[in-house]
């Protein structure tokens, strides 16, 4: 089900698959989807502000993502 009002022509929704620690929070880039310059973090905040259930899913995804990353780092040592 697409998020109402969000067109994903450049992969903005792909930002949800990034580690939240790796999101750009200082440098603004032009995002065609919102026709504005903003940081990656601001773009995600804009989406989840209007979709609180999606925010919960994203938070859970980040928890699983980080747990798997920690497990992988532990196995490498």
């Amino acid at each position: 089900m697409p998020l109402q009002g969000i067109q994903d022509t450049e992969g903005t929704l792909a930002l949800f698959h990034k580690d939240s620690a790796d999101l750009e929070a200082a440098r603004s880039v032009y995002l065609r989807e919102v026709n504005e310059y903003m940081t990656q973090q601001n773009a995600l905040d804009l989406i989840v502000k209007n979709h609180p259930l999606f925010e919960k899913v994203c938070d859970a995804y980040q928890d699983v993502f980080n747990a798997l990353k920690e497990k992988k780092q532990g196995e490498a040592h």
Side-chain angles (χ1 to χ4, degrees), residues 2-4 9 13 23 29 34 40-41 51 53 65 68 75:
L3 296 176
Q4 184 178 9
T9 57
L13 295 179
L23 290 174
V29 295
V34 291
Q40 291 177 337
Q41 185 63 58
H51 303 281
L53 292 177
F65 180 85
L68 291 172
E75 291 173 355

Side-chain angles (χ1 to χ4, degrees), residues 12-74:
T12 302
L13 295 179
L15 294 175
F16 288 101
H17 295 285
K18 289 182 80 169
D19 186 339
S20 59
D22 293 337
L23 290 174
E24 182 65 57
R27 185 177 62 93
S28 294
V29 295
Y30 182 75
L31 299 172
R32 277 195 273 182
E33 296 85 354
V34 291
N35 197 29
E36 286 186 37
Y37 283 90
M38 65 176 57
T39 66
Q40 291 177 337
Q41 185 63 58
N42 286 346
L44 295 180
D45 291 344
L46 179 67
I47 294 169
V48 297
K49 176 181 81 169
N50 295 313
H51 303 281
L53 292 177
F54 189 61
E55 180 177 23
K56 290 180 183 183
V57 171
C58 291
D59 290 343
Y61 176 85
Q62 285 296 317
D63 290 343
V64 170
F65 180 85
N66 288 324
L68 291 172
K69 186 170 71 172
E70 288 174 19
K71 181 181 178 187
K72 185 176 180 181
Q73 288 174 347

